[in-house]
Amino acid sequence: MEDNKNQNTTEQVKQEEQKTTDKSKKNKQPKEPMDKKDMMCYIGSVCFLLLAFIPLILRGFDPNYDPYRFDETKEPTTSDARTDHMFCKRTFQEEGYSYVVEINSSYTNEYVTATEINYTITLDKDATITLEEIEIPEYATLSEIDSQGINVTANEGKYTIKIDYKVDPGLRNNELLEAHIKKLDVQRMSYEGNSYSCNIS
């Protein structure tokens, strides 16, 4: 009897060992190498992922890219138009004189339609410089723009530039006017970031 029990136990142990060996063999079977279809799927996935990022990468290399650039295909319409006016002001102090810049702009549906920039110079009491010797860099730059949409006047220390974007819509994309052609909220932040005080009505 004892011999039979021992035999049965030995056989059970052998069977268990055989099962364990079979399982480990199954687990250790080498994976099949990728075939051409698998490779093409992986390569295609990587290519599509790269294609998704190409526009962002190219924008980074484009020095002229501006997310706020005016799109002429989205010209503001008069139907259901929302109009706003923004007034901004800043005083610049220079040696022997100061000048005030006042910017009045009109917007339709957040796009600028007209801007008037006034530069008013005040000489210090002990100034040795004359009005004729003073040059305001921005005024000098903007007054050189050749466009029917720009009107420039100068009169004894007061200089005015009037810009009408309806007369010449292309002015909204003029690089020289970059500081004044953004959409309303962005433009206000830009002015205030340059120490202007602004009000919108």
Side-chain angles (χ1 to χ4, degrees):
M1 290 287 288
E2 284 182 12
D3 287 339
N4 281 342
K5 281 182 183 179
N6 286 339
Q7 243 181 346
N8 287 338
T9 307
T10 308
E11 284 177 13
Q12 284 177 352
V13 170
K14 283 182 181 178
Q15 285 175 357
E16 291 294 326
E17 285 177 356
Q18 185 65 36
K19 284 180 185 176
T20 308
T21 308
D22 290 344
K23 280 182 184 178
S24 63
K25 281 182 181 176
K26 283 180 184 176
N27 291 337
K28 289 181 181 178
Q29 283 181 355
K31 291 182 179 178
E32 290 183 16
M34 286 195 297
D35 59 11
K36 285 185 179 179
K37 286 182 181 178
D38 291 334
M39 288 293 288
M40 293 302 289
C41 285
Y42 283 115
I43 291 169
S45 299
V46 171
C47 287
F48 280 118
L49 187 64
L50 290 174
L51 282 173
F53 289 99
I54 281 177
L56 293 172
I57 294 167
L58 292 178
R59 284 176 193 164
F61 288 109
D62 183 3
N64 296 320
Y65 174 70
D66 180 1
Y68 307 111
R69 190 173 179 85
F70 178 73
D71 183 355
E72 290 186 38
T73 62
K74 297 179 181 177
E75 179 73 30
T77 58
T78 51
S79 59
D80 300 323
R82 178 186 144 205
T83 58
D84 294 285
H85 299 279
M86 181 164 62
F87 174 77
C88 296
K89 184 176 181 179
R90 180 183 173 186
T91 300
F92 291 80
Q93 186 65 52
E94 304 291 342
E95 189 176 343
Y97 69 98
S98 63
Y99 65 94
V100 176
V101 181
E102 295 177 326
I103 306 170
N104 283 291
S105 296
S106 300
Y107 293 81
T108 300
N109 296 337
E110 295 199 12
Y111 287 101
V112 65
T113 54
T115 299
E116 181 177 314
I117 309 172
N118 292 300
Y119 308 87
T120 306
I121 300 171
T122 304
L123 293 173
D124 294 349
K125 287 181 181 178
D126 56 349
T128 56
I129 194 170
T130 63
L131 290 173
E132 291 74 24
E133 295 175 294
I134 296 171
E135 182 179 87
I136 299 171
E138 185 181 62
Y139 173 79
T141 300
L142 299 186
S143 61
E144 290 178 2
I145 298 173
D146 184 19
S147 168
Q148 290 183 343
I150 291 186
N151 184 15
V152 180
T153 57
N155 185 22
E156 294 183 6
K158 185 164 183 177
Y159 305 91
T160 301
I161 294 178
K162 292 181 180 179
I163 307 162
D164 192 334
Y165 298 97
K166 290 180 180 176
V167 173
D168 184 358
L171 288 170
R172 291 192 187 95
N173 291 327
N174 190 305
E175 290 181 4
L176 297 177
L177 289 166
E178 189 177 353
H180 304 286
I181 55 180
K182 297 176 175 64
K183 289 177 74 174
L184 179 60
D185 291 335
V186 179
Q187 188 62 70
R188 179 178 185 167
M189 287 190 290
S190 176
Y191 284 144
E192 290 178 344
N194 284 299
S195 303
Y196 284 85
S197 58
C198 295
N199 291 309
I200 296 176
S201 58

